[in-house]
Amino acid sequence: MIQRIQTIFLILFIVSLGSSFFFPVWQKVEISDETGNIETIITGHISTNVFEKDNEIILYDHFYISAIVILCCLLAVFSIFSYKSRITQIKLGTANSFITTILVIFFLYETFYNEQYLEINDQISFLISFYLIFLAIFFNFLSNRFIRKDELLVRESERIR
């Protein structure tokens, strides 16, 4: 049912998580003390990390993170079309919340504890895609809340009969 509010929240979840592919998630910049020039820039995207040092660019591919984001979007689409079984929708929403939280934990680990980037401690910035992931978690939370509310309403009406 497209007219339900939880469907709209799930669509917004898909849009915010899908748009995170197009923006960087985080960035670390190392500036030299003597000249103030930028020595190293590391930019983390959903699918790759771009390591730039001394005019040399190295790409680190994270295809499994892209697969996790696509899996979350597919779970949300499946949840939209399984509107007849609200219990299944609740389980899919809970799984989506768990997987998306793991995604945030991965990016926090990449930023602060990855050994390749540990020596660069000057400036760390979380960019728009990081906040889009949190927005997706919020939309998923709202959709789960309204699905549970519908389930409780149906259970109450069955008790009255």
Side-chain angles (χ1 to χ4, degrees):
M1 291 189 149
I2 301 298
Q3 70 268 17
R4 292 171 41 200
I5 188 71
Q6 54 265 36
T7 305
I8 293 171
F9 285 132
L10 284 171
I11 290 171
L12 289 173
F13 171 82
I14 293 168
V15 167
S16 63
L17 204 58
S19 63
S20 67
F21 274 109
F22 303 109
F23 302 107
V25 179
W26 59 273
Q27 188 173 41
K28 277 188 171 185
V29 177
E30 183 178 13
I31 300 173
S32 66
D33 292 334
E34 306 90 33
T35 59
N37 292 333
I38 296 174
E39 286 185 10
T40 307
I41 298 176
I42 303 169
T43 306
H45 296 273
I46 292 289
S47 59
T48 59
N49 287 345
V50 180
F51 186 82
E52 299 176 33
K53 184 173 185 174
D54 301 328
N55 294 329
E56 181 182 338
I57 298 175
I58 302 170
L59 293 176
Y60 296 105
D61 191 22
H62 299 295
F63 65 91
Y64 50 91
I65 298 299
S66 301
I68 288 173
V69 171
I70 291 170
L71 175 73
C72 286
C73 291
L74 289 176
L75 281 175
V77 168
F78 184 68
S79 178
I80 288 172
F81 290 112
S82 64
Y83 59 87
K84 291 181 182 177
S85 174
R86 285 173 298 280
I87 300 298
T88 305
Q89 276 188 319
I90 290 171
K91 289 177 184 176
L92 289 172
T94 305
N96 242 349
S97 295
F98 181 70
I99 293 170
T100 313
T101 304
I102 288 175
L103 188 68
V104 169
I105 290 170
F106 171 78
F107 285 121
L108 288 174
Y109 172 78
E110 277 287 310
T111 306
F112 292 112
Y113 297 112
N114 194 341
E115 295 168 1
Q116 294 173 341
Y117 317 129
L118 201 56
E119 71 269 356
I120 301 170
N121 282 329
D122 283 350
Q123 292 180 347
I124 301 171
S125 303
F126 291 107
L127 303 173
I128 188 168
S129 189
F130 187 75
Y131 300 113
L132 284 173
I133 294 170
F134 276 108
L135 187 64
I137 290 173
F138 179 68
F139 286 141
N140 193 33
F141 166 75
L142 287 177
S143 70
N144 284 344
R145 184 168 182 240
F146 283 105
I147 291 168
R148 284 191 183 106
K149 195 174 182 182
D150 277 357
E151 182 64 23
L152 289 174
L153 185 66
V154 168
R155 297 281 180 207
E156 272 185 24
S157 67
E158 286 177 359
R159 247 185 294 148
I160 292 174
R161 283 195 245 171

